[in-house]
Amino acid sequence: MSDALWQIELDAAPDTLALFEAALEPFCVSLSSHELTESLWRLQAVCIEPPGRAAAAVAVAIAAAAAGVAAPEVRIGRLETRDWVREGLLSLPVISVAGFYVRGSHLPPPRTPETIDLLVDAGLAFGTGHHPTTWGCLYAIDRITRQRRFTNALDMGCGSGVLALALAAKELRPVTAADNDPIAVRTTRDNARINGLSPLIRTLVAGSFDHRGLRGRGPYDLIVANILAKPLCGLAPGLVSSLTADGVVVLSGLLARSEREVLAAYRAQGLRLAWRIARQGWHTLVLRRSSPLRRTGAESP
Ligand SMILES: C[S@@+](CC[C@H](N)C(=O)[O-])C[C@H]1O[C@@H](n2cnc3c(N)ncnc32)[C@H](O)[C@@H]1O
């Protein structure tokens, strides 16, 4: 097998993306889409085998016909050599996604010094990094932290703490990690110590935003919550009221079929979808406020 990865890319209206994603899913190992303009989104599918140009074009044309739109241009190319993707996709049990290298303590460290090495022994908690939802969150964290700095992030539903560790290691700022399961919180604390990140990770047992300690540490400029669809919907009002005016939310743990329900709950609180990552039927959503809120004295800088 060669070392290259391939990418299929197309631009389409946001309400047609689900059809194009379904069309490209058989060709690829991950899909992500992001906004170019309000009416035009870019869909990128990463493939480990060279995709057949004709077959991909036919699949896209069929999806376009189903959507009642003209078929978009399908661009296929080799992806820039990104060892992180290749390693992450091909070599379990290490998870290498974006700049993060997540491994159990029995595995050797990465050979690339610029990679952020995270030792994560999940124990009884969820979050070795292998699940597509954790993968999607790590991918999203890498992308959004390239765009701006975050000073007060929250990992809600921290499990093993893998996302809090990634955020703390990347931003070198304090991160709050909360879970309603005390075992998860203890595991996160252990993993923070093992990775030398204890000074940056503040843990607490909390199952909702009514929790005084959780509210007291807010508002947060980045909230990552990899929980299931139903609890995510229930958390929506509290979560959004704990978000700064320019805050960003990453939601995961939802299957494709639940996206509409989760989005509706967060749209009702004034957020909009900025982009999505689809992997093995699981969606990770990045949301921002639909219209900027006026800053109040309570907002963090
Ligand atoms: C899918 S795991 C995610 C773990 C880790 N963040 C990751 O991305 O791999 C979901 C975690 O959310 C926790 N959880 C579920 N409902 C919750 C709630 N209402 N509040 C806080 N944590 C919750 C579970 O205990 C579990 O540890």
Side-chain angles (χ1 to χ4, degrees):
M1 195 183 297
S2 91
D3 267 353
L5 288 166
W6 282 261
Q7 176 173 277
I8 308 174
E9 188 180 85
L10 58 83
D11 300 337
D15 58 344
T16 63
L17 283 177
L19 280 167
F20 291 122
E21 284 174 356
L24 293 182
E25 194 141 33
F27 296 89
C28 68
V29 286
S30 78
L31 284 157
S32 72
S33 50
H34 63 275
E35 190 180 61
L36 298 174
T37 66
E38 208 171 303
S39 57
L40 193 67
W41 281 48
R42 176 154 296 166
L43 175 58
Q44 292 165 319
V46 177
C47 319
I48 53 176
E49 299 292 343
R53 193 169 289 275
V58 168
V60 167
I62 292 170
V69 298
E73 181 199 2
V74 177
R75 298 179 293 274
I76 296 181
R78 282 171 85 111
L79 210 51
E80 286 300 304
T81 308
R82 301 287 294 269
D83 283 351
W84 53 265
V85 179
R86 184 167 184 79
E87 287 165 20
L89 298 175
L90 302 182
S91 67
L92 288 173
V94 166
I95 282 297
S96 184
V97 47
F100 303 113
Y101 190 91
V102 184
R103 65 186 172 100
S105 54
H106 58 293
L107 292 162
R111 276 168 295 176
T112 39
E114 67 278 11
T115 311
I116 295 178
D117 181 25
L118 298 174
L119 272 169
V120 177
D121 285 323
L124 293 176
F126 182 103
T128 54
H130 293 97
H131 198 269
T133 59
T134 314
W135 195 98
C137 289
L138 289 168
Y139 188 95
I141 287 170
D142 178 70
R143 266 185 69 164
I144 55 187
T145 52
R146 282 169 199 256
Q147 290 162 3
R148 62 174 265 203
R149 301 293 317 267
F150 293 93
T151 56
N152 193 25
L154 167 66
D155 175 7
M156 185 65 173
C158 56
S160 66
V162 56
L163 305 179
L165 297 176
L167 278 164
K170 187 86 191 279
E171 295 291 84
L172 296 178
R173 302 283 173 114
V175 176
T176 301
D179 203 291
N180 62 358
D181 175 0
I183 294 174
V185 170
R186 200 180 324 131
T187 309
T188 294
R189 216 176 291 138
D190 289 346
N191 282 326
R193 181 176 37 74
I194 291 164
N195 286 275
L197 292 168
S198 296
L200 292 178
I201 297 190
R202 304 172 298 192
T203 54
L204 49 88
V205 179
S208 86
F209 285 85
D210 294 335
H211 187 283
R212 271 181 59 188
L214 195 59
R215 283 204 93 81
R217 291 175 185 181
Y220 304 95
D221 53 3
L222 173 60
I223 301 179
V224 182
N226 178 10
I227 310 180
L228 294 170
K230 280 275 174 242
L232 282 177
C233 292
L235 288 170
L239 188 151
V240 178
S241 70
S242 301
L243 190 67
T244 58
D246 61 351
V248 177
V249 175
V250 178
L251 301 178
S252 197
L254 51 134
L255 288 161
R257 64 171 180 269
S258 307
E259 178 179 312
R260 190 187 292 257
E261 181 192 358
V262 173
L263 266 182
Y266 283 82
R267 282 190 175 128
Q269 303 301 322
L271 298 196
R272 69 180 174 88
L273 181 65
W275 48 279
R276 96 160 54 72
I277 297 155
R279 187 163 161 86
Q280 294 166 11
W282 295 88
H283 282 192
T284 299
L285 310 177
V286 179
L287 301 114
R288 304 176 198 278
R289 290 195 190 275
S290 304
S291 47
L293 285 185
R294 288 229 314 275
R295 285 182 181 278
T296 70
E299 295 289 354
S300 63

